[in-house]
Amino acid sequence: MVEQHLPWLEVVRLGHRIDRDKRITSHLGLTARALGADGIVLCGDEDPSIIETWNNVSERFGGTFSARYESRPMAYLKSFKKGTNERPPGIIVHLTMYGEEVSESLPKIRRDRPVALVVGGAKVPGELFGISNHNVAVGNQPHSEVAALAVALSQWHSSIAIQSRFEGGSIRVIPSREGKNVVDKKSASES
Ligand code: SAM
């Protein structure tokens, strides 16, 4: 069990299909991690290789991003909202093109509670609209879960706060105007 600090924010990826969604689901987790989510919960088809990919990236690039599989997403979301002995009641934020515009709805969301940021796959269960505390749109046009997540997370966090999350790891990327500047922390500490 990963220790959950507040405000804890996890992405819940519904409806993953192993035969069609490998790449987009993988990118969704990488985007979640890079843009400041604390973890991702994979739902739909069980796919250990994607969880391994996310964990490998965290090992190399640092941070404490958690990744796990959940077989009963709606039951999980209901218990997330209710809270448990270990965790206070959570807020469910569903990203959907039918929701309220992100720049209006995000500022209204309380930040003293764990947040589950839910993105759909092929077909989102209708019940999700009702159990969500907030249905949030990044524009009211259909596009991609990765794009919607990136915009929502970028509005939720400041970029400075995100940078400080990636302690540890063996690789550090130094921002550069000219090209790749990557420090291998192990060999840097040996020299
Ligand atoms: N056709 C599916 C349905 O009607 O349930 C939705 C498929 S869409 C490619 C996958 C996910 O991307 C959605 O469930 C939603 O989480 C996200 N998404 C797509 N467009 C969005 C938008 N304009 N605003 C917020 N989220 C969006």
Side-chain angles (χ1 to χ4, degrees):
M1 179 78 188
V2 176
E3 196 186 323
Q4 297 191 351
H5 62 85
L6 282 174
W8 171 267
L9 186 148
E10 70 186 27
V11 172
V12 177
R13 198 294 187 255
L14 299 181
H16 172 66
R17 296 163 298 182
I18 239 170
D19 53 340
R20 296 187 53 180
D21 296 332
K22 261 194 184 300
R23 193 169 156 82
I24 196 153
T25 299
S26 164
H27 285 188
L28 192 76
L30 295 179
T31 302
R33 176 185 170 277
L35 299 189
D38 297 294
I40 187 163
V41 178
L42 178 67
C43 311
D45 291 346
E46 193 164 7
D47 191 345
S49 71
I50 289 206
I51 294 191
E52 203 180 308
T53 300
W54 295 329
N55 288 339
N56 284 342
V57 170
S58 291
E59 237 168 70
R60 293 175 65 216
F61 290 87
T64 56
F65 188 71
S66 79
R68 67 180 185 85
Y69 176 72
E70 176 62 56
S71 61
R72 298 176 63 228
M74 297 310 288
Y76 171 65
L77 286 171
K78 284 175 195 163
S79 92
F80 185 94
K81 188 173 178 183
K82 200 161 165 219
T84 63
N85 286 343
E86 294 94 49
R87 197 180 37 67
I91 308 284
I92 299 179
V93 180
H94 171 210
L95 289 177
T96 165
M97 62 181 278
Y98 304 103
E100 183 188 16
E101 182 52 35
V102 64
S103 54
E104 282 168 29
S105 63
L106 286 201
K108 294 183 209 158
I109 299 175
R110 53 190 294 179
R111 285 179 177 245
D112 60 343
R113 292 275 168 90
V115 170
L117 193 50
V118 184
V119 296
K123 183 99 186 88
V124 176
E127 188 189 6
L128 181 61
F129 288 84
I131 69 161
S132 295
N133 301 86
H134 303 270
N135 290 293
V136 173
V138 176
N140 297 110
Q141 302 293 324
H143 52 83
S144 145
E145 49 269 54
V146 178
L149 180 68
V151 170
L153 284 176
S154 124
Q155 294 206 12
W156 182 262
H157 292 297
S158 81
S159 56
I160 293 166
I162 289 173
Q163 284 308 324
S164 65
R165 287 167 170 260
F166 301 107
E167 295 292 322
S170 58
I171 288 175
R172 180 159 168 238
V173 176
I174 313 292
S176 162
R177 290 173 62 174
E178 271 131 35
K180 283 189 191 173
N181 187 357
V182 179
V183 174
D184 180 338
K185 292 184 186 169
K186 247 203 202 142
S187 44
S189 69
E190 280 160 12
S191 58

